[in-house]
Amino acid sequence: MKKILVFIFCIIAFNVNASEKKTTFNKDLFDKAQSEGKTVVVSSWIKYCTSCASQMKVLNKVKQDFNNVEYFAFDVTNKEIAELFNVQYQTTLLIFKGDKEVYRSIGETSRDLIYKAIQSKI
C-alpha cells in the first residue's frame, strides 16, 4: 500500500511540473521587444524535466522582480523555435539585449547565477 501511495504521489508531482510549462514564445512579440532595445530572456524546456521546472521557478520570480525584462519560454521539441535560436537542449537560457544574444547557458538553475546574469545585461 505504501508503494502505491508513493507511486501516485510521484505521478501527481510530475504532472504538476508538466502543467506549469507552456510555450509562451511569440516571434512578433520577441521582435518588438528586441526593436525596443529591451532585455529579453528566452528559456527552453521539455516535459518531465526537473531541472527545467527548477529553472522556470526562478524565471517566474524574475518576471516579478524585473518588470523591464521580457520573458519567453518554449518546448525544445518545437523544432522551428529551437532552430531559430540554435537550441538543442532543454534548460537552455538565452538573454538578448536589443538584437544581440549576450548570454547563453545550459542547465543553469541557480537563482543567484540567473539573477546575476540578467542584472548584468539590463
Side-chain angles (χ1 to χ4, degrees):
M1 181 65 169
K2 195 177 202 180
K3 289 181 183 180
I4 292 172
L5 290 175
V6 169
F7 178 74
I8 290 171
F9 174 76
C10 288
I11 288 176
I12 291 170
F14 282 127
N15 285 334
V16 167
N17 281 339
S19 67
E20 292 175 358
K21 300 172 189 167
K22 65 180 181 176
T23 294
T24 60
F25 179 79
N26 176 296
K27 178 77 165 107
D28 293 334
L29 293 176
F30 175 78
D31 290 344
K32 182 177 185 267
Q34 282 191 307
S35 70
E36 293 172 352
K38 292 184 177 180
T39 300
V40 181
V41 176
V42 179
S43 67
S44 68
W45 55 268
I46 196 165
K47 194 174 185 178
Y48 303 119
C49 171
T50 56
S51 64
C52 300
S54 297
Q55 186 182 74
M56 290 181 93
K57 285 179 186 175
V58 173
L59 293 173
N60 284 332
K61 185 77 171 125
V62 164
K63 287 190 270 188
Q64 296 171 3
D65 293 343
F66 298 97
N67 58 6
N68 56 341
V69 173
E70 294 290 328
Y71 171 73
F72 300 99
F74 72 96
D75 183 339
V76 76
T77 62
N78 181 319
K79 297 299 181 197
E80 184 179 338
I81 300 171
E83 287 176 6
L84 175 68
F85 293 115
N86 192 27
V87 170
Q88 300 173 357
Y89 306 102
Q90 69 268 14
T91 323
T92 298
L93 182 65
L94 309 169
I95 301 175
F96 295 84
K97 184 65 178 177
D99 64 348
K100 304 271 190 237
E101 180 182 320
V102 294
Y103 179 85
R104 178 180 290 246
S105 71
I106 299 172
E108 186 58 65
T109 60
S110 163
R111 179 193 180 281
D112 291 340
L113 292 177
I114 291 172
Y115 269 63
K116 184 177 180 180
I118 292 171
Q119 286 172 327
S120 70
K121 307 307 178 197
I122 294 178

